[in-house]
Amino acid sequence: MCAESQINAGKGFVSQSSLRRSFLKFITKKWYAFFISIVIFGGLSIVLKSKLPAPMQAYYMHIRPNLDEIKSPLGYIALDQTSQLPIWTQKNLFNSNLIAAYINATSTLDEAIEKCNGMVTYTKNDLLSSKSIYTKRPFNVFFKNANKQLNCSFDAVVSEDGIDASNFVETIEKKKYKNKESLHIPFNKEVHTPVGKILVTPNKGNKKIGKIRVTHTPLSSITIPLDATLEVYNDDGVINLNIESEKDPAYVIGILNSLLNVVSEKITNNSREAIKQSLTQAEKALEKETNPKTKEYLMEVKEKLRIDLEGIQDEKPIIVIDQPRMAAKVFDPKPHITYILLIIGLLIPLIYYYYQLVGRHKLLVPQEAVNRLNSDYMGLIESKRSAKHLYSLDRSIVSMKQTIEKTGHYKWCVAPISSINSGLIEQIKEALEKRGQKTMVISGEQLSDDKLQQQINDNTSKKILSIIYFESPLKNNELLAKVQSDDAILWIARTYIDKLDQMSEIAQLFDKHNGLQSVLVTF
């Protein structure tokens, strides 16, 4: 293929549009390099995403004690033993300090995780990573009478009436025991499996999700990380609860709701026991009392305690101000890693080829430079047997014709960058003569002939084009030494990338001949 310098009168420079077209044309022919680079960096992104831990996300909730009614059943009446008289005082066991104490207790968190079946997780495994499908699970798995430190997993595929379980793995003291048994577990029926008794119930999820990995994690492995990030603040009766976890948001919020229910249940049970104790004290005091008025008062106290004991289950000891929710979402780099690495995979070959063609070989021509070989050469590096050779040669001929008409240069020196044959020069001659330009081809070895020199001068006056060429690039210096300011140069080169260094050297040499015009032809 060939391309020509875009020449302005007295100045040689490349237009920005020509530069862009040339470079884009070149990189499209190097598509395989971009494809390989993108595949490599795409694979790297998959590996990095599988290795990077999930970011810790913060969650919070705000609650307060239910103290709207000071005489609520959550209070209890106790006998003041220090007084000589049977004076009864009402106390409220349920307060913000007690709530905070219950929440901070590790046993409370353990119980909350157990009650919401938090030891069981559901993931969808890809090639190198796994993704939680907690909210999309089509079934629930309950391990009946399981050890709290049970560490096991199995694959499950949902069917019409249950799940098909397989690939059971149990880990005991860091040793894995695999069982390849496959079995069908119907819904709502306890079944003995290699990892213990299991109950599966249906859930409103995606039944077409495919194979799911069900994992039972030891309770301590869940409690310890959550307990380490759990923070409880008592701010003037309002309890602020904060926690951090990398788990699925629905999973963490489920644990927080379960924690709230467990604390409420503990408070209610403790209040019930306190009322029972007060009731027992009142009954004993009533048995010993002889004063009719005090006896009547104790009867009223006893009745009130009995009513409180019956109605305590209807009371809500905790009022939720803010439901458990996610705080400001933490930036997760994982989804962006793929895009960043793919862009890098695209830019690396792009920068490399730009450096090879423009930076390293200095083929980019600024507007102020005169007659430098231009960056349009970037579009010329392709197969030497191009099907567009004839069309490209025609473009070069048009450029020569325009240069001749603009400058009046009728003496052209052929400066081959690689060995050429006379057949190519003859093609150029024939193409020019078809366009009405009389042409004479002269061998460089004949330049020493005085008569031939006179003939060249006569051709110039008669507007006959003289093409002087050397077949070997080794004689370029000899030819260029004879180039004059009213000459033009026809550069001819094979389209080999390994010729770029030589092209750059010749371009720099050519800069010294200000005012000359050129056309570049490749074959």
Side-chain angles (χ1 to χ4, degrees):
M1 178 182 176
C2 70
E4 60 280 354
S5 303
Q6 297 192 12
I7 301 171
N8 283 6
K11 277 188 178 181
F13 68 93
V14 180
S15 68
Q16 291 297 320
S17 61
S18 175
L19 175 61
R20 287 193 295 268
R21 285 196 303 271
S22 298
F23 191 65
L24 289 174
K25 187 176 181 180
F26 171 72
I27 63 174
T28 55
K29 294 184 179 298
K30 297 295 180 181
W31 63 268
Y32 55 87
F34 291 88
F35 176 76
I36 293 172
S37 179
I38 288 173
V39 168
I40 292 174
F41 280 91
L44 180 61
S45 71
I46 295 175
V47 174
L48 286 177
K49 287 173 69 175
S50 67
K51 300 296 182 183
L52 284 177
M56 297 292 285
Q57 176 64 54
Y59 301 84
Y60 71 93
M61 63 185 296
H62 296 156
I63 58 177
R64 68 173 177 84
N66 186 1
L67 300 177
D68 293 341
E69 297 182 10
I70 191 63
K71 294 182 180 180
S72 67
L74 298 178
Y76 76 99
I77 297 176
L79 183 63
D80 188 352
Q81 300 294 341
T82 62
S83 175
Q84 295 180 354
L85 297 175
I87 299 174
W88 294 81
T89 57
Q90 188 175 37
K91 298 180 181 180
N92 199 319
L93 281 178
F94 189 44
N95 54 64
S96 56
N97 291 328
L98 185 64
I99 295 176
Y102 273 122
I103 293 175
N104 274 320
T106 303
S107 59
T108 306
L109 186 57
D110 282 343
E111 189 175 342
I113 294 171
E114 282 190 90
K115 287 205 169 185
C116 70
N117 200 30
M119 294 92 72
V120 182
T121 55
Y122 309 82
T123 55
K124 179 73 175 174
N125 294 333
D126 295 327
L127 182 62
L128 292 173
S129 63
S130 60
K131 182 180 180 181
S132 172
I133 56 165
Y134 188 80
T135 56
K136 299 178 181 178
R137 65 190 189 281
F139 54 83
N140 300 306
V141 176
F142 300 91
F143 289 79
K144 294 297 183 178
N145 304 321
N147 188 325
K148 292 182 179 180
Q149 299 307 313
L150 176 64
N151 187 359
C152 66
S153 63
F154 63 89
D155 291 331
V157 178
V158 68
S159 60
E160 290 294 330
D161 60 340
I163 64 170
D164 296 318
S166 60
N167 297 325
F168 294 89
V169 178
E170 184 174 1
T171 303
I172 302 176
E173 295 181 353
K174 297 183 179 181
K175 292 183 179 181
K176 291 186 177 181
Y177 298 89
K178 298 182 179 181
N179 190 315
K180 295 184 178 181
E181 178 183 354
S182 299
L183 54 89
H184 180 72
I185 304 176
F187 287 137
N188 303 313
K189 184 178 180 180
E190 293 185 5
V191 176
H192 288 279
T193 71
V195 292
K197 189 181 292 185
I198 288 177
L199 173 67
V200 180
T201 61
N203 189 57
K204 294 180 180 179
N206 183 4
K207 294 184 178 180
K208 297 181 180 180
I209 202 167
K211 186 182 293 185
I212 299 170
R213 192 67 182 175
V214 181
T215 303
H216 185 286
T217 306
L219 181 60
S220 59
S221 298
I222 301 174
T223 304
I224 292 174
L226 288 176
D227 195 35
T229 63
L230 181 63
E231 295 180 346
V232 182
Y233 302 98
N234 185 2
D235 184 12
D236 195 21
V238 176
I239 298 169
N240 304 320
L241 188 152
N242 300 317
I243 198 169
E244 291 183 0
S245 176
E246 79 286 359
K247 303 283 188 182
D248 187 287
Y251 172 85
V252 180
I253 290 174
I255 290 178
L256 288 177
N257 281 320
S258 180
L259 180 64
L260 185 64
N261 293 333
V262 169
V263 172
S264 296
E265 186 178 340
K266 285 180 176 292
I267 293 294
T268 300
N269 292 338
N270 286 349
S271 296
R272 185 189 299 109
E273 291 300 318
I275 293 174
K276 285 182 179 180
Q277 290 177 8
S278 296
L279 184 58
T280 301
Q281 285 182 326
E283 289 174 347
K284 289 181 179 180
L286 186 60
E287 291 176 358
K288 297 178 181 180
E289 186 60 51
T290 57
N291 189 311
K293 290 185 177 181
T294 304
K295 211 169 186 177
E296 182 180 355
Y297 172 72
L298 289 174
M299 289 292 292
E300 292 176 0
V301 169
K302 181 180 175 182
E303 180 63 20
K304 183 182 185 307
L305 290 172
R306 186 188 63 79
I307 295 173
D308 286 349
L309 185 61
E310 292 177 354
I312 194 170
Q313 293 293 351
D314 298 330
E315 292 294 329
K316 294 182 179 180
I318 297 176
I319 292 178
V320 179
I321 301 174
D322 279 325
Q323 292 288 344
R325 66 183 66 187
M326 183 188 299
K329 193 169 183 180
V330 176
F331 175 74
D332 185 1
K334 282 189 175 183
H336 305 277
I337 286 176
T338 300
Y339 300 113
I340 293 172
L341 288 180
L342 287 179
I343 291 174
I344 292 174
L346 181 66
L347 287 178
I348 284 180
L350 193 66
I351 294 172
Y352 170 77
Y353 285 124
Y354 185 85
Y355 169 73
Q356 289 293 320
L357 297 173
V358 178
R360 178 182 175 189
H361 302 290
K362 301 178 181 178
L363 297 180
L364 182 62
V365 183
Q367 290 190 1
E368 63 271 13
V370 178
N371 294 307
R372 173 182 285 187
L373 284 176
N374 63 58
S375 59
D376 204 31
Y377 183 75
M378 291 188 297
L380 306 176
I381 303 175
E382 54 182 54
S383 173
K384 65 179 180 179
R385 299 185 180 276
S386 172
K388 299 181 179 180
H389 174 72
L390 294 178
Y391 167 75
S392 301
L393 180 62
D394 186 66
R395 287 178 57 202
S396 296
I397 299 304
V398 170
S399 179
M400 288 181 67
K401 192 75 167 62
Q402 291 175 345
T403 303
I404 292 169
E405 292 173 352
K406 282 183 179 180
T407 63
H409 292 174
Y410 287 92
K411 178 184 174 184
W412 283 68
C413 300
V414 178
I417 298 173
S418 53
S419 297
I420 61 172
N421 53 58
S422 58
L424 180 61
I425 301 298
E426 288 298 325
Q427 288 184 38
I428 295 174
K429 176 184 176 182
E430 291 176 7
L432 286 167
E433 289 184 342
K434 285 182 180 179
R435 287 171 171 76
Q437 176 59 60
K438 291 184 178 181
T439 306
M440 178 180 179
V441 177
I442 302 169
S443 172
E445 282 78 4
Q446 302 173 345
L447 284 178
S448 59
D449 190 335
D450 294 336
K451 291 184 179 180
L452 191 58
Q453 289 285 355
Q454 184 61 44
Q455 180 65 45
I456 292 172
N457 295 333
D458 292 342
N459 287 344
T460 301
S461 61
K462 295 177 182 179
K463 296 186 177 181
I464 298 175
L465 179 63
S466 298
I467 298 180
I468 306 167
Y469 79 97
F470 286 94
E471 293 185 2
S472 171
L474 300 177
K475 298 183 179 181
N476 275 337
N477 291 339
E478 181 182 345
L479 173 64
L480 292 173
K482 299 179 180 181
V483 172
Q484 300 176 8
S485 60
D486 58 348
D487 295 340
I489 294 183
L490 186 65
W491 300 88
I492 299 181
R494 289 185 183 274
T495 55
Y496 289 139
I497 293 180
D498 59 4
K499 296 295 181 183
L500 280 175
D501 288 326
Q502 195 173 359
M503 284 285 289
S504 179
E505 293 172 4
I506 293 174
Q508 293 177 18
L509 175 63
F510 192 55
D511 278 343
K512 298 178 181 178
H513 300 276
N514 295 329
L516 302 183
Q517 307 297 327
S518 70
V519 169
L520 174 63
V521 177
T522 62
F523 67 99

